[in-house]
């Protein structure tokens, strides 16, 4: 069957099951991965899947194809993406393949991969699909291994939790339900679970903590139980959402501010953040003796930045947080939650007090405009070429314009058929003005777009 090139993205591979990604497509993807592994001297790779309905069949296809192409396989079964990364770190060649649709709708699935401890883009795999490299004529071994207990044991040695906090966790029926409740209980927390049963139908709400509407149940439960903190995770567990003891949402750039202050208090170094983060973040990093580095959005880009700069911490506005001070440098929502709990106890402050100690931000969450995958990058190019708004223009990922009273951003999502916008001002009035000016300019340049922000 013909494979759609559109599913091979800058960060990973994602498409609709079974129309775009299915067992036959995964067989071909696995053959390409095998070619890449052989080229790099990698003979063994870890694999896992999240809780999506199509995950089990796709993981089986992946396992069979890798083995048939001479690669030894360690199958970790149902896991979060960070658990797969952890397994890869523990393996001989530090390589792994995750079957996951992340935060996409439930009929999507896809592939994230690392080979030789380096992220591999979907476009690179596409270019290897029709490679005629001869693969071995022997089968690789298949081993089934559960890494959950080893992961929990290592986090318990890494994190200091000396008192009992009441924690509400919302797994959104995603894969984090297989690990988060047990981890936080073993850390000594009183855990109140929401939607911890892994169910690829996502019957309660979509597992995307970047959308405030998906945090409504968490906020309600935190208030109802007088909990110390609320944590939410996305479908594959590599992103975290945070709610204070008063039920207020803390955006990830503010989470990065808290963590940066803490880490830089004992160790000076670089901190990476993406183009969607607040202007207050780099200022805080500098004020605390660190070196701020702005990067394009996407775990693929951030991981390459971590390889290049070896920062103490990295993170994105979407909730991906990468600890590289005393952890492994991969994005892990569940571990991030544990670090936030540790921070509360270390400072002896509530999460709301820690948030209030930071600059007051007048900003929007990520705002999305639905467009097709085929035209989203062209729209951004057109906007960059024709935008008449005056200010400092940053072009590392779409167009971010810094004004005297705030900033605005338009970029194309690499994981969904969306344009992404975000705005910040030094007051509510400035924020509304910048947002309106950006939207007016986009309407002028691309009058056919239905600008219905969600």
């Amino acid at each position: 069957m013909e494979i759609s090139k559109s599913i091979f993205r800058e960060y990973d591979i994602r498409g609709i099951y079974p129309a775009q990604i299915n067992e036959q497509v995964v067989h071909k993807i696995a053959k390409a991965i095998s070619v890449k592994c052989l080229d790099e001297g990698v003979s063994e790779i870890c694999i896992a899947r999240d809780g999506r309905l199509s995950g089990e069949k796709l993981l089986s296809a992946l396992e069979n194809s890798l083995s048939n192409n001479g690669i030894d396989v360690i199958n970790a079964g149902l896991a979060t993406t960070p658990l797969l990364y952890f397994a890869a770190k523990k393996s001989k060649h530090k390589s792994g393949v995750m079957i996951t649709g992340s935060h996409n709708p439930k009929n999507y699935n896809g592939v994230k991969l690392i080979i030789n401890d380096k992220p591999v883009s979907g476009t690179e795999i596409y270019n290897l699909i029709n490679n005629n490299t001869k693969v071995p004529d022997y089968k690789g071994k298949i081993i089934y291994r559960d890494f959950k207990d080893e992961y929990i044991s290592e986090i318990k040695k890494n994190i200091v939790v000396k008192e009992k906090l009441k924690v509400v966790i919302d797994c959104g029926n995603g894969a984090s339900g297989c690990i988060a409740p047990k981890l936080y209980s073993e850390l000594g927390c009183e855990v109140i679970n929401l939607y911890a049963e892994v169910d690829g139908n996502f019957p309660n709400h979509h597992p995307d903590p970047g959308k405030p509407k998906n945090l409504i149940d968490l906020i309600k439960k935190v208030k109802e139980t007088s909990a110390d903190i609320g944590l939410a995770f996305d479908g594959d567990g590599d992103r975290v959402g945070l709610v204070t003891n008063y039920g207020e949402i803390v955006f990830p750039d503010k989470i990065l501010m808290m963590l940066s202050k803490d880490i830089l208090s004992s160790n000076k170094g670089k901190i990476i953040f993406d183009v969607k983060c607040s202007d207050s973040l780099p200022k805080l990093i500098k004020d605390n003796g660190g070196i701020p580095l702005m990067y394009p959005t996407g775990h693929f880009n951030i991981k390459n930045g971590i390889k290049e700069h070896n920062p103490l911490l990295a993170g994105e506005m979407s909730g991906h947080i990468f600890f590289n001070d005393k952890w492994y440098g991969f994005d892990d929502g569940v571990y991030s939650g544990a670090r936030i709990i540790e921070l509360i106890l270390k400072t002896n402050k509530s999460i709301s007090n820690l948030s209030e100690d930071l600059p007051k931000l007048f900003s929007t969450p990520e705002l999305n405009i639905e467009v097709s995958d085929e035209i989203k990058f062209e729209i951004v190019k057109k906007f960059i070429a024709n935008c008449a708004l005056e200010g400092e223009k940053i072009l590392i990922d779409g167009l971010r314009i810094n004004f005297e009273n705030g900033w605005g951003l338009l970029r194309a999502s690499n994981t969904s058929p969306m344009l992404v916008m975000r705005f910040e001002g030094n007051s509510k009035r400035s924020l509304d003005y910048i947002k309106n000016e950006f939207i007016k300019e986009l309407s002028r340049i691309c009058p056919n777009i239905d600008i219905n922000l969600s």
Side-chain angles (χ1 to χ4, degrees):
M1 66 175 293
E2 190 174 338
I3 299 179
S4 169
K5 188 177 180 180
S6 67
I7 70 172
F8 296 86
R9 306 173 186 237
E10 183 183 359
Y11 312 163
D12 48 35
I13 302 165
R14 293 190 206 188
I16 297 168
Y17 179 89
Q20 295 176 309
I21 189 162
N22 52 45
E23 291 83 342
Q24 289 173 280
V25 171
V26 166
H27 272 292
K28 292 188 177 184
I29 289 169
K31 167 77 183 298
I33 292 170
S34 302
V35 169
K36 169 81 173 168
C37 286
L38 293 166
D39 186 53
E40 297 207 11
V42 171
S43 60
E44 176 189 87
I45 198 161
C46 299
I47 66 172
R49 67 171 178 92
D50 70 13
R52 285 170 184 262
L53 301 177
S54 57
E56 206 162 348
K57 290 180 180 177
L58 295 183
L59 187 67
S60 178
L62 177 69
E63 173 192 283
N64 290 334
S65 185
L66 289 169
S67 173
N68 289 338
N69 286 298
I71 303 297
D72 292 337
V73 175
I74 301 173
N75 188 334
L78 173 65
T80 61
T81 294
L83 257 172
L84 183 275
Y85 293 151
F86 178 82
K89 289 282 186 184
K90 298 296 179 182
S91 69
K92 181 167 61 177
H93 295 294
K94 293 183 169 48
S95 300
V97 186
M98 182 73 186
I99 299 291
T100 176
S102 189
H103 63 278
N104 284 97
K106 69 177 185 178
N107 58 332
Y108 276 71
N109 219 323
V111 174
K112 292 180 182 177
L113 66 154
I114 46 169
I115 295 175
N116 265 336
D117 210 24
K118 295 189 291 288
V120 180
S121 73
T123 49
E124 182 177 354
I125 294 303
Y126 180 78
N127 293 333
L128 292 171
I129 290 278
N130 296 314
N131 188 295
N132 293 318
T133 299
K134 186 168 170 46
V135 295
D137 56 5
Y138 57 82
K139 275 194 164 191
K141 302 192 300 285
I142 299 172
I143 298 167
Y144 298 97
R145 182 176 166 193
D146 191 331
F147 287 85
K148 296 184 190 72
D149 288 343
E150 186 178 348
Y151 171 85
I152 288 173
S153 176
E154 193 154 337
I155 290 179
K156 284 167 70 177
K157 292 173 188 170
N158 184 274
I159 298 282
V160 180
V161 177
K162 292 181 178 176
E163 296 173 42
K164 196 165 198 163
L165 285 189
K166 187 185 286 189
V167 181
V168 181
I169 58 172
D170 184 348
C171 298
N173 299 110
S176 56
C178 78
I179 188 71
K182 186 177 182 187
L183 170 65
Y184 294 127
S185 292
E186 292 205 17
L187 282 172
C189 298
E190 179 186 342
V191 181
I192 299 165
N193 291 310
L194 279 178
Y195 316 135
E197 306 81 15
V198 179
D199 183 345
N201 283 307
F202 308 131
N204 295 289
H205 63 75
H206 196 64
D208 181 0
K211 302 291 182 194
K213 67 181 180 181
N214 295 324
L215 299 176
I216 290 170
D217 290 351
L218 178 62
I219 291 166
K220 182 181 175 186
K221 185 60 75 172
V222 166
K223 290 179 175 179
E224 200 177 273
T225 60
S226 300
D228 295 298
I229 188 173
L231 298 167
F233 310 105
D234 70 336
D236 64 333
D238 58 7
R239 295 164 56 210
V240 67
L242 174 61
V243 167
T244 72
N245 44 305
Y246 292 131
E248 299 153 338
I249 297 170
V250 181
F251 287 157
D253 48 3
K254 219 167 183 184
I255 299 173
L256 285 169
M257 289 182 212
M258 293 178 196
L259 296 168
S260 295
K261 275 180 76 172
D262 176 53
I263 290 170
L264 290 169
S265 68
S266 57
N267 198 0
K268 305 304 180 192
K270 298 171 182 174
I271 293 178
I272 289 175
F273 56 94
D274 80 323
V275 70
K276 293 184 289 186
C277 286
S278 169
D279 261 353
S280 295
L281 176 57
K283 184 178 185 306
L284 179 142
I285 293 167
K286 284 180 185 174
D287 289 347
N288 285 273
I291 301 167
L293 298 172
M294 182 185 285
Y295 255 71
T297 292
H299 71 92
F300 180 80
N301 298 314
I302 302 291
K303 282 174 185 166
N304 282 330
I306 290 169
K307 284 286 175 193
E308 183 180 351
H309 295 287
N310 193 31
L312 298 167
L313 178 71
E316 299 180 78
M317 184 59 201
S318 58
H320 291 274
I321 301 177
F322 309 71
F323 289 90
N324 199 39
D325 56 340
K326 60 173 184 170
W327 197 238
Y328 291 102
F330 55 75
D331 41 338
D332 186 341
V334 176
Y335 176 79
S336 297
R339 285 291 291 263
I340 294 166
I341 290 167
E342 181 186 48
L343 178 61
I344 292 169
L345 293 172
K346 183 196 287 189
T347 58
N348 200 27
K349 290 185 174 183
S350 70
I351 193 67
S352 60
N353 285 340
L354 286 169
S355 180
E356 285 164 7
D357 287 345
L358 299 171
K360 183 171 175 57
L361 305 182
F362 298 92
S363 57
T364 66
E366 292 182 36
L367 302 172
N368 299 131
I369 301 170
E370 290 188 25
V371 295
S372 72
D373 276 325
E374 288 72 26
I375 65 167
K376 62 188 180 185
F377 292 107
E378 288 305 314
I379 292 170
V380 173
K381 280 183 188 174
K382 190 174 178 183
F383 187 77
I384 290 170
N386 295 282
C387 181
L389 299 176
E390 293 187 3
E392 179 197 2
K393 293 184 177 177
I394 298 172
L395 298 171
I396 63 170
D397 184 1
L399 177 61
R400 173 169 166 152
I401 304 179
N402 291 339
F403 309 101
E404 286 186 5
N405 59 346
W407 56 271
L409 169 73
L410 175 74
R411 60 178 292 276
S413 169
N414 276 301
T415 57
S416 305
M418 303 276 186
L419 299 174
V420 179
M421 303 184 90
R422 191 173 188 232
F423 307 98
E424 182 176 71
N426 58 15
S427 67
K428 177 71 167 62
R429 185 177 176 183
S430 296
L431 168 64
D432 291 341
Y433 177 79
I434 292 167
K435 178 181 172 183
N436 291 337
E437 288 300 298
F438 246 78
I439 292 170
K440 277 197 304 189
E441 193 68 353
L442 181 59
S443 295
R444 180 184 69 82
I445 295 166
C446 302
N448 296 325
I449 297 176
D450 179 16
I451 302 179
N452 182 19
L453 295 174
S454 60

